[in-house]
Amino acid sequence: MPTFEVEGKKYDVDEDGFLQEPDLWTEDVAKDFAKSESIDALTDGHWKVINYIRNYYLQFGIAPMVRKVCKETGYKLSEIYQLFPSGPAKGACKLAGLPKPTGCV
Amino acid sequence: MADADEGVKPANGKPETKLLDELEKGPWPSFVTEIKSAQGVTGGAEDLLGQLELSYEDKVSHWKHGGLVGVLGYGGGVIGRYSDVGEQFPKVAHFHTLRVNQPAGWFYTSEALRTISDIWERHGSGLTNMHGSTGDMILLGTTTDHLEATFQELTHAGFDLGGSGSAVRTPSCCVGMARCEWACFDAMKLCYDLTMAYQDELHRPALPYKFKIKCSACPNDCVAAIARADLSVIGTWKDDIRIDQAEVANYATAGVDIQKDICANCPTRCMDWNGKELNIKNRDCVRCMHCINAMPKALRPGVEKGAVILIGAKAPILQGALLSSVLIPFVAADELLDTLKELIQRIWDFWDEYGTNRERIGELIQRVGLAAFLDGIGLDPAPEMVSAPRDNPYIYYQPAKEDEA
Amino acid sequence: MTTTPLQPRLTDVGPPRYDKYLPPIVLKNYGTWKYHETLAPGVLCHVAESGDRLYTVRGGTPRLLSIQTLRKYADLADKYCGGYLRFTSRNNVEFLLTDPAQIEPLKQELALLGIPVGGTNNAISNIVHTQGWVHCHAAATDASGLVKSMMDALIDHFTHEDLPAKLRIAVACCLNMCGAVHCSDIAILGVHRRPPKVQNDLLTKACEVPTLVASCPTGAIRPVPGVGGKQSVEVLEEDCMYCGNCFSVCPAMRMADAENDGLSIWVGGKVSNARSAPRFSRLSIPFLPNNPPRWPEVIEAVTKIVDVYRGEARKYERVGEWIDRIGWPRFFELTGFEFTRYHIDDFKNAGMTFARSTHIRY
C-alpha cells in the first residue's frame, strides 16, 4: 500500500493519494496534504470548504454534490478551483479525508 | 492456467503472447499488431501486451477500479488507470488515458495527426483510439508526471481535453455540410459553438451526472444522437421534398422498382408512381429519409431546414435504457444555437433543482413526468411529443386557479 | 525524459475550430453538396452544385492505433489527398481525393498496408466497441479481440455491398455500454452472472454506503453493521441481476468472475429514422462463454444471424424490420437459437412486450 510522508508523519493512502482510513482524519491531515494539491497554505476560505464537506460527509455518509458545495459556501465553482486547483472532487475531498469519489467515467 | 506464469514472463524484454498472436492472423487489421508497433515508445506497449495476454488467460480484467488524476484547474478529461499486476508489468502500473476533443466531423490534416503523434511519443505509450465512443480522440496510457506536460503541448497545438465524470461530455456531430447533401443544419459549426459555449461545464464537473450533446444533420442520425445523447439535435425540414423527375425516371430505367422499393417502403404511404412521375403528398411525409437515401440524385430534403430537439437518451444503467423523445418539434437552422443555449440553461436549472446524484436527465423526466418537466422549463405541451395521448384516466388534475380570469 | 510543461499555461482553448482542417474543396463547397454516387464499395463521389467532385475512399481500422500507423495515414493523405483525411463515427478512416485517377493507386497502397476498403451502403461497416480488457476495470470481456475475430469472419460483407440493407454491429463489455450498442442490428454485450463479492474491509474505507445502496436498480443492496461499528452492506442475491453498477460506485463490490462472465447477443435495433422508427435491440442469445482469443461461439452465432438475414430479408429491410415481417418465432426457427425464459422481460414495464393479440404465424 502506498504511503504519503510529510515531516516525518506517514499516512496510508491509495494510488491517488486519498487517505485510506477516513476515520483517521484530523485537521493536520488537511494541512499535511495541502502541498500535494498545489496549495501553499490553508486559508479561512479553504477551511470553509473543507469543513462543509467534512461535516456533510459525517452527517449523510456521502460527499455533497458540487452545486451544493457552491451554494452552501457561497463560492462560485471558479473560486473553488482557485482554492483547490485540482477541483472539488480530487482536491477538496482529499483534504477533507473523504473516500475517493468513484463512478463510471 | 497451469502455464500462465510461464506464458507471460518477459523473454528478451518482450512478453510472450501466444493467445494475442492468434489475433495477428486473418484479414482484418489487428489491434495486436498496433500495440506491438508501439513497443519501444515508452515500454508501455510491451507491458500492455503482457497484461492483456494475462487477461486472455485469466478471463478477467487486470485494471484496478477507478483512479482520480488530472491537470490543475480541470475536474476531468483524464481517466486514471492502475494495474492490479503492476509488479509484473511495471510500465503499465500507472497507465492513464487522456480524452482529447476531436475536431468537428473528425477532420484532420496530416500535420495535425503528426503533431498529436509527436506529443504522444514524447509523453505516452504511443497508443491511441481514433476515436472513443463519445467521439474524443483517446490517448491511451501515460503516468501522472506526464499529464501536465501533455496537456500544455496539446493546448499549445490547439487541442483541449474532453469531458469525464458529472460534466458535459465532448459534443459530437456527423460530417454535416462538409460532405453531405442531406445536412439540414450546420452540424459541425453548431457542435463547435456549443463546445466553446460550455468549456467550463465540460472541464469542471458540476452537474448531477454526465450530459451528452450530439448533433446529426439529418434523420439518418449518423452519430446515433437519439440513442445516446441527453440532448439530441437531429436535422429535418419543413417544406416539400425536392424532386428531379427526370432523375427518378433514370433510376427506374436503371432497375429500381419505384413502386415496390420506394413507395411501398414509405412509412406513411405518402407517395405513388404512375410510371412517369413520382407524386409525394408532403403533408403526410414524416421525413424518414428512405426515398431520399434510395435515390439521392433524384430526391433531396426541402429548403426550409432546421432540426428536431430531443431529450433523454441513455444506456441501461440505472433505470433502463431510453431513446431521446421530442422536446421541440422544429427549430429553424439559423435559430438553433440561441434556442439551444437558452433551452439547455433551463434544463440544467431544473436538473440542478430536482435531480439526484447520478441521475441522468432522461431518468429525472421519467421520475417526475414529462408534463411536470415541461412546466419546469416553461415549454408548452405539443402532440408531437407523444406517440399517442395517454390511455389511462389517472390524471393529476390541477386545482383551478381562482385568481385568474 | 523531459516533462517540463510549455509556457504560458493555456486552458479552455477548446477543440480546433470546426473549419480548421477542412480541405479546400470542402471549404469551397461547404453546404452546397448536391448528390452522391457510390463508385465501388468503400468509394463515394460527392458532387457539389458547383460541379466539383470529391472522392472518398473508406478504409477499416482496428480503432486502437499506434502513432506509427497514424503517421502512415498522414503520409497517404499527403501523397494522395493534399494532406487531408477524416475518421468516421464507426472508426473508419476516409481519404478525400479530388483526382479520380488517384483512387486505384491509393486502393492498391491501402491493400499493401492491410487496410480493407468498404463499409458503405448495404455492407457491414466497422464495428463500434468499447475498451474491454485493454483499458477498463469493469469489462466482462475484451472488445478488441471480439471485433477482430468477427471482422475476420465478416470481412467479405465489409468489402462487398451484398446485404439487404446496411448492417451495424456493436460491442460493449458491460452494461454501462459506452456507445450505442443497445440500438444496433447486432449487439454483443458482455455480461456478469453472479452477484458482487462484497469486500467488507475495503468497503468501509473506500465507499459511500448511501451511494452504494442507491446504485442498485432492484434495491438488492441494503446497509448492515460492519466491522468495528462501521456501516457495510449485504446483497440480496435473489434480487441481483448482475448489472455491475454497484461496482461502478464502489471498488469493494467485485463483479469479475472468469467462469461465469460471458456474452449475450441482441438483434434488431437501429438509430436511423429511415422507414421505421429508431428502436432497441432485443435479446437473441442470453449467454455465450468467454472464449478468447477467438470467441468461436460468438463468431458462429453472429455469422448465423448475418447469413440467415442475408438469405431471408427483402431489399432495404434492416434486421429489425425483417423480424417485424417474419415474426420472432420464425427468427428463432431460422437461426436455430433456443427461446428461453431469459428472453421474456421481467424488469419494469415488462408487460409491454407480452403478445396481446392473436396475430400468430403458423
Side-chain angles (χ1 to χ4, degrees):
Chain A
M1 179 178 296
T3 53
F4 177 72
E5 285 190 46
V6 58
E7 291 171 13
K9 282 179 273 186
K10 270 191 186 176
Y11 297 100
D12 286 341
V13 294
D14 69 8
E15 295 92 340
D16 295 321
F18 278 74
L19 195 63
Q20 281 285 5
E21 295 278 357
D23 293 353
L24 297 181
W25 186 86
T26 64
E27 291 195 352
D28 283 347
V29 173
K31 289 176 196 162
D32 291 344
F33 280 31
K35 272 254 159 44
S36 72
E37 288 300 314
S38 306
I39 298 164
D40 288 334
L42 292 177
T43 63
D44 289 349
H46 291 104
W47 283 113
K48 195 173 172 184
V49 176
I50 292 171
N51 287 329
Y52 172 71
I53 292 177
R54 182 78 197 168
N55 289 332
Y56 190 97
Y57 173 69
L58 291 177
Q59 192 180 350
F60 299 107
I62 56 173
M65 286 163 75
V66 173
R67 68 182 156 92
K68 209 156 170 57
V69 177
C70 293
K71 206 169 158 187
E72 298 295 326
T73 61
Y75 287 123
K76 287 188 230 147
L77 186 58
S78 57
E79 293 170 324
I80 303 260
Y81 274 88
Q82 279 164 16
L83 289 168
F84 302 92
S86 53
K90 182 172 176 291
C93 285
K94 183 190 282 183
L95 266 55
L98 268 60
K100 180 164 63 188
T102 53
C104 175
V105 289
Chain B
M1 286 297 294
D3 62 353
D5 288 338
E6 275 172 55
V8 294
K9 207 169 271 177
N12 307 324
K14 291 189 179 170
E16 251 186 62
T17 50
K18 281 184 208 160
L19 294 172
L20 291 175
D21 289 351
E22 284 298 312
L23 290 168
E24 286 202 278
K25 301 170 186 168
W28 191 255
S30 166
F31 72 101
V32 176
T33 307
E34 292 296 319
I35 301 176
K36 285 188 177 177
S37 71
Q39 291 183 119
V41 174
T42 59
E46 283 92 324
D47 277 4
L48 179 64
L49 276 175
Q51 178 175 322
L52 191 58
E53 178 78 6
L54 189 61
S55 280
Y56 270 59
E57 288 168 356
D58 293 354
K59 303 185 188 182
V60 291
S61 174
H62 283 290
W63 297 107
K64 279 199 211 174
H65 188 286
L68 195 61
V69 290
V71 298
L72 296 184
Y74 283 18
V78 184
I79 312 304
R81 276 288 175 269
Y82 300 100
S83 171
D84 72 3
V85 284
E87 287 183 9
Q88 199 176 351
F89 303 107
K91 289 189 171 165
V92 292
H94 298 210
F95 206 61
H96 312 316
T97 278
L98 292 99
R99 291 182 181 164
V100 180
N101 288 163
Q102 78 283 9
W106 299 286
F107 280 91
Y108 293 87
T109 56
S110 51
E111 189 194 341
L113 277 191
R114 289 193 188 103
T115 300
I116 296 283
S117 299
D118 293 349
I119 293 172
W120 201 228
E121 182 160 39
R122 283 193 289 277
H123 295 297
S125 69
L127 293 170
T128 74
N129 288 150
M130 301 297 273
H131 294 80
S133 295
T134 293
D136 291 299
M137 188 185 339
I138 305 292
L139 302 182
L140 204 63
T142 190
T143 48
T144 307
D145 56 334
H146 276 279
L147 292 174
E148 178 64 18
T150 313
F151 174 54
Q152 281 312 306
E153 292 200 28
L154 286 168
T155 52
H156 279 259
F159 287 90
D160 202 342
L161 297 188
S164 65
S166 295
V168 171
R169 302 304 182 86
T170 305
S172 74
C173 64
C174 67
V175 72
M177 291 188 167
R179 201 205 48 198
C180 185
E181 67 269 28
W182 299 328
C184 294
F185 67 91
D186 193 342
M188 291 192 359
K189 181 171 192 305
L190 182 71
C191 183
Y192 174 75
D193 287 342
L194 289 171
T195 310
M196 293 310 286
Y198 299 117
Q199 285 291 295
D200 208 25
E201 291 80 359
L202 202 158
H203 293 135
R204 294 166 197 89
L207 299 170
Y209 203 14
K210 65 181 88 167
F211 194 82
K212 299 186 174 184
I213 303 173
K214 296 196 186 294
C215 309
S216 281
C218 90
N220 284 324
D221 196 359
C222 284
V223 288
I226 205 164
R228 57 202 186 121
D230 297 276
L231 193 79
S232 319
V233 186
I234 302 178
T236 191
W237 66 96
K238 263 190 150 172
D239 55 342
D240 294 353
I241 290 176
R242 287 179 281 170
I243 308 181
D244 182 335
Q245 296 288 0
E247 289 293 349
V248 177
N250 285 343
Y251 276 105
T253 310
V256 177
D257 185 334
I258 307 285
Q259 187 58 41
K260 192 172 156 216
D261 293 343
I262 311 298
C263 301
N265 275 314
C266 171
T268 59
R269 305 288 187 270
C270 76
M271 53 185 66
D272 64 82
W273 166 247
N274 62 13
K276 286 179 190 156
E277 276 203 333
L278 181 69
N279 293 301
I280 302 178
K281 199 175 169 192
N282 280 279
R283 285 284 294 173
D284 292 340
C285 170
V286 289
R287 281 84 181 151
C288 86
M289 291 297 291
H290 171 75
C291 59
I292 297 175
N293 289 342
M295 301 193 295
K297 267 178 111 165
L299 302 176
R300 305 168 74 185
V303 293
E304 195 183 344
K305 293 173 179 175
V308 189
I309 315 293
L310 306 94
I311 189 162
K314 55 181 288 296
I317 306 292
L318 180 71
Q319 297 291 348
L322 293 170
L323 293 170
S324 279
S325 71
V326 174
L327 193 59
I328 305 183
F330 187 83
V331 180
D334 57 0
E335 294 167 11
L336 268 172
L337 180 62
D338 290 342
T339 303
L340 281 169
K341 281 205 236 174
E342 202 200 317
L343 182 69
I344 288 169
Q345 195 51 58
R346 287 197 248 164
I347 292 167
W348 286 352
D349 286 346
F350 186 86
W351 196 23
D352 255 4
E353 185 70 26
Y354 300 104
T356 59
N357 191 24
R358 297 173 66 84
E359 184 176 42
R360 296 281 287 271
I361 190 69
E363 289 179 339
L364 171 61
I365 295 170
Q366 290 277 101
R367 180 163 63 82
V368 302
L370 177 60
F373 175 70
L374 294 174
D375 288 346
I377 64 167
L379 273 188
D380 290 331
E384 289 87 352
M385 296 174 181
V386 294
S387 59
R390 71 163 72 224
D391 57 13
N392 71 65
Y394 302 159
I395 305 173
Y396 292 100
Y397 289 107
Q398 295 178 328
K401 291 177 185 166
E402 287 167 18
D403 294 344
E404 284 181 6
Chain C
M1 69 177 71
T2 167
T3 57
T4 314
L6 295 172
Q7 297 294 333
R9 190 169 194 272
L10 299 178
T11 70
D12 299 275
V13 301
R17 211 184 118 90
Y18 70 98
D19 53 3
K20 184 174 177 185
Y21 296 136
L22 298 181
I25 184 176
V26 167
L27 284 171
K28 181 186 164 196
N29 298 289
Y30 196 88
T32 62
W33 297 100
K34 194 175 177 195
Y35 67 91
H36 74 274
E37 297 171 308
T38 304
L39 304 183
V43 184
L44 304 173
C45 170
H46 285 82
V47 182
E49 302 274 9
S50 67
D52 286 353
R53 286 168 178 264
L54 174 65
Y55 302 91
T56 298
V57 176
R58 179 180 293 178
T61 85
R63 186 179 91 138
L64 200 171
L65 296 171
S66 68
I67 54 175
Q68 287 78 6
T69 296
L70 290 183
R71 286 170 181 151
K72 276 182 205 158
Y73 292 173
D75 291 344
L76 288 171
D78 280 343
K79 188 169 173 187
Y80 294 99
C81 312
Y84 297 92
L85 75 169
R86 71 177 290 264
F87 294 84
T88 74
S89 58
R90 303 193 77 86
N91 311 320
N92 299 301
V93 60
E94 288 187 339
F95 295 93
L96 307 166
L97 302 90
T98 49
D99 179 2
Q102 294 292 326
I103 294 173
E104 276 313 310
L106 171 61
K107 282 172 81 173
Q108 283 168 19
E109 202 155 341
L110 289 171
L112 286 174
L113 289 168
I115 300 170
V117 171
T120 47
N121 299 312
N122 297 349
I124 292 177
S125 188
N126 204 345
I127 298 176
V128 292
H129 64 95
T130 52
Q131 292 290 12
W133 293 333
V134 171
H135 207 253
C136 184
H137 62 291
T141 186
D142 187 39
S144 304
L146 268 167
V147 168
K148 160 74 175 153
S149 303
M150 273 191 278
M151 287 311 287
D152 278 343
L154 298 169
I155 190 167
D156 284 350
H157 302 302
F158 180 87
T159 55
H160 297 83
E161 296 177 352
D162 59 0
L163 296 169
K166 63 167 116 171
L167 197 139
R168 299 287 178 259
I169 307 180
V171 174
C173 301
C174 79
L175 272 61
N176 279 309
M177 286 191 191
C178 10
V181 174
H182 56 310
C183 293
S184 304
D185 292 289
I186 303 175
I188 293 87
L189 174 65
V191 291
H192 303 290
R193 293 188 302 161
R194 290 293 179 271
K197 300 172 198 76
V198 183
Q199 296 166 269
N200 274 300
D201 50 337
L202 180 60
L203 193 149
T204 53
K205 290 175 193 169
C207 304
E208 299 174 341
V209 169
T211 304
L212 181 51
V213 169
S215 76
C216 180
T218 62
I221 298 173
R222 61 184 186 194
V224 293
V227 279
K230 293 178 188 172
Q231 262 202 336
S232 185
V233 300
E234 67 177 4
V235 177
L236 306 175
E237 298 203 345
E238 64 276 20
D239 289 342
C240 175
M241 43 61 180
Y242 331 111
C243 72
N245 194 43
C246 54
F247 181 64
S248 282
V249 302
C250 170
M253 307 292 282
R254 191 169 163 80
M255 296 298 300
D257 180 328
E259 296 314 309
N260 288 294
D261 292 347
L263 296 311
S264 56
I265 308 227
W266 307 70
V267 298
K270 70 196 277 278
V271 294
S272 156
N273 284 271
R275 298 168 307 283
S276 58
R279 61 172 85 176
F280 293 129
S281 312
R282 305 286 180 169
L283 184 64
S284 167
I285 300 179
F287 184 78
L288 291 170
N290 235 345
N291 201 355
R294 283 273 172 190
W295 286 271
E297 297 85 355
V298 176
I299 307 312
E300 187 187 353
V302 170
T303 308
K304 181 80 191 174
I305 295 167
V306 173
D307 287 348
V308 172
Y309 164 69
R310 184 173 177 229
E312 299 284 329
R314 291 178 186 161
K315 192 174 170 188
Y316 296 118
E317 274 179 344
R318 295 283 293 268
V319 170
E321 295 166 327
W322 160 59
I323 299 172
D324 280 349
R325 178 168 58 78
I326 65 165
W328 284 101
R330 180 100 0 111
F331 170 82
F332 285 98
E333 183 190 315
L334 287 167
T335 54
F337 300 156
E338 185 188 2
F339 185 84
T340 70
R341 66 189 306 284
Y342 298 126
H343 290 88
I344 302 173
D345 192 358
D346 48 15
F347 194 54
K348 286 185 300 185
N349 306 321
M352 304 297 286
T353 60
F354 301 168
R356 296 180 194 276
S357 79
T358 59
H359 294 189
I360 297 174
R361 298 163 182 83
Y362 297 103

